[in-house]
């Protein structure tokens, strides 16, 4: 393809979708407040990681914007793990806290699994607790990780029923790849999970009606790997000299795909919107209310 070939793919506007979702959540929060319930999200940041500080700040701002209570707890980089576990215990016991998020990565002296599994699974708005992972895998009511949930919403919005579609998930992380595969399977897609040891990736990709790229390698997925008309969801956020780029080579892929998420403005804004969706869901469940419509798989 030359640079002059017109783009054929429809861009998937995650920014607009997420704004719409947050507006809907704000309406539901207002209705809950009218019944005397204010959803609340506590975010815990250990250390000074600059990227994590940016994420935590924007999570707090957007939480407040939809009318929820927001608390930010900070611990120093060298805090003993026992201090973090004690804080989590307090948040677990506090009925005004409906969601708890411990920002990752944690300092190296901490055991990430032990920390995550100390969170009350009902307040685990990241969906990382082992019980929520197991519930998702077995088709039970779970808290679902935010980024894959956001990708699923975009896919359903674009394609409707995902049943029988060939879906390729590139990447097998616990945060994105694995839960994404579970969600697609739950929607009756035929799911392949590719990773760093996969030998025939371009070939697999050419068979996929849906591609979810979550490898963390800049512009890794090339346009000539894409099946014409496929829906491409790019989870990557890679900082390069040329700016922020995804895991998909957007320019070449956009000539072949039917629809594609840009970076930035695609999946990224969906992650925080789904964190708010999960906080609302957790609040509803804690108060014996039905799950809000369309925010859970
Ligand atoms: N760090 C990067 N992504 C995430 C996420 O989705 N949740 C948490 N808790 N930390 C992260």
């Amino acid at each position: 393809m030359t640079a002059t070939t017109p783009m054929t793919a429809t861009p998937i506007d995650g920014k607009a979708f997420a704004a719409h979702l947050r507006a809907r959540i704000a309406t539901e929060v207002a209705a809950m407040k009218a019944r005397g319930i204010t959803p609340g999200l506590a975010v815990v940041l250990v250390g000074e990681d600059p990227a994590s500080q940016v994420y935590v700040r924007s999570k707090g701002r957007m939480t407040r914007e939809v009318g929820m209570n927001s608390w930010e707890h900070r611990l120093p980089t060298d805090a003993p793990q026992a201090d973090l576990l004690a804080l989590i215990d307090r948040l677990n016991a506090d009925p005004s806290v409906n969601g708890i998020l411990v920002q990752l990565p944690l300092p190296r002296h901490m055991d990430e699994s032990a920390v995550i599994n100390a969170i009350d699974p009902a307040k685990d708005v990241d969906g990382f607790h082992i019980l929520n992972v197991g519930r998702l895998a077995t088709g039970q009511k779970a808290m679902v990780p935010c980024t894959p949930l956001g990708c699923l919403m975009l896919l359903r919005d674009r394609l409707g029923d995902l049943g029988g579609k060939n879906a390729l998930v590139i990447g097998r992380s616990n945060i994105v790849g694995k839960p994404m595969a579970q969600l697609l399977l739950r929607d009756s897609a035929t799911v392949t999970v590719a990773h760093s040891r996969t030998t025939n990736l371009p070939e697999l990709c050419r068979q996929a009606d849906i591609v979810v790229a979550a490898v963390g390698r800049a512009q890794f997925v090339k346009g000539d790997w894409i099946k014409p008309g496929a829906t491409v969801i790019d989870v990557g956020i890679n900082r390069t000299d040329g700016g922020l780029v995804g895991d998909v080579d957007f320019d070449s892929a956009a000539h072949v795909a039917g629809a594609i998420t840009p970076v930035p403005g695609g999946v990224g804004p969906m992650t925080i919107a789904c964190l708010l969706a999960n906080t609302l869901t957790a609040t509803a469940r804690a108060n014996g209310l039905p799950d809000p419509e369309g925010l859970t798989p």
Side-chain angles (χ1 to χ4, degrees):
M1 290 288 165
T2 65
T4 51
T5 312
M7 168 175 153
T8 54
T10 305
I12 298 176
D13 190 347
K15 197 173 165 189
F17 195 103
H20 196 260
L21 186 57
R22 290 197 307 275
R24 221 210 93 195
I25 291 168
T27 305
E28 303 235 7
V29 170
M32 275 192 184
K33 282 174 149 176
R35 308 170 72 157
I37 304 161
T38 304
L41 172 65
V43 174
V44 181
L45 175 60
V46 185
E48 311 279 334
D49 180 68
S52 291
Q53 293 189 39
V54 172
Y55 288 134
V56 165
R57 255 201 311 276
S58 57
K59 283 170 186 171
R61 179 170 51 79
M62 294 203 178
T63 306
R64 288 185 293 275
E65 273 175 18
V66 295
M68 296 180 179
N69 285 327
S70 162
W71 302 276
E72 191 180 312
H73 296 270
R74 286 184 177 236
L75 294 177
T77 311
D78 60 356
Q81 179 166 306
D83 287 8
L84 177 56
L85 293 175
L87 171 60
I88 291 172
D89 277 349
R90 282 207 309 281
L91 298 172
N92 282 343
D94 182 343
S96 65
V97 175
N98 302 108
I100 302 170
L101 180 144
V102 177
Q103 185 67 29
L104 303 176
L106 290 170
R108 280 223 294 278
H109 67 280
M110 290 190 177
D111 174 349
E112 213 159 87
S113 300
V115 169
I116 288 166
N117 292 327
I119 297 170
D120 178 346
K123 298 188 179 187
D124 169 37
V125 284
D126 259 329
F128 295 163
H129 190 290
I130 196 74
L131 267 181
N132 283 316
V133 175
R135 285 175 183 153
L136 175 61
T138 53
Q140 298 174 59
K141 213 171 180 179
M143 296 303 301
V144 175
C146 305
T147 300
L149 179 58
C151 294
L152 183 76
M153 287 182 186
L154 295 177
L155 284 168
R156 283 181 176 169
D157 182 63
R158 163 81 193 166
L159 297 170
D161 183 9
L162 307 184
K165 304 266 187 226
N166 282 337
L168 176 68
V169 179
I170 311 176
R172 56 174 157 182
S173 71
N174 292 333
I175 293 182
V176 183
K178 284 181 202 155
M180 187 75 247
Q182 295 292 358
L183 286 170
L184 289 163
L185 200 52
R186 210 165 148 147
D187 269 20
S188 303
T190 304
V191 184
T192 303
V193 182
H195 47 76
S196 54
R197 300 289 297 274
T198 299
T199 53
N200 54 342
L201 186 53
E203 236 168 279
L204 288 173
C205 209
R206 283 181 201 114
Q207 294 165 33
D209 306 303
I210 294 167
V211 178
V212 180
V215 267
R217 290 172 66 178
Q219 298 168 320
F220 176 70
V221 176
K222 307 300 178 198
D224 64 357
W225 300 8
I226 304 293
K227 177 178 172 177
T231 302
V232 179
I233 304 289
D234 190 348
V235 181
I237 302 175
N238 306 287
R239 277 165 230 287
T240 68
D241 293 341
L244 217 57
V245 299
D247 290 350
V248 178
D249 181 20
F250 185 89
D251 290 340
S252 63
H255 293 303
V256 191
I260 184 166
T261 58
V263 176
V267 173
M270 291 299 291
T271 297
I272 297 186
C274 286
L275 173 65
L276 304 175
N278 279 348
T279 305
L280 191 71
T281 299
T283 308
R285 290 178 184 171
N287 288 278
L289 300 171
D291 281 1
E293 197 70 34
L295 301 185
T296 46

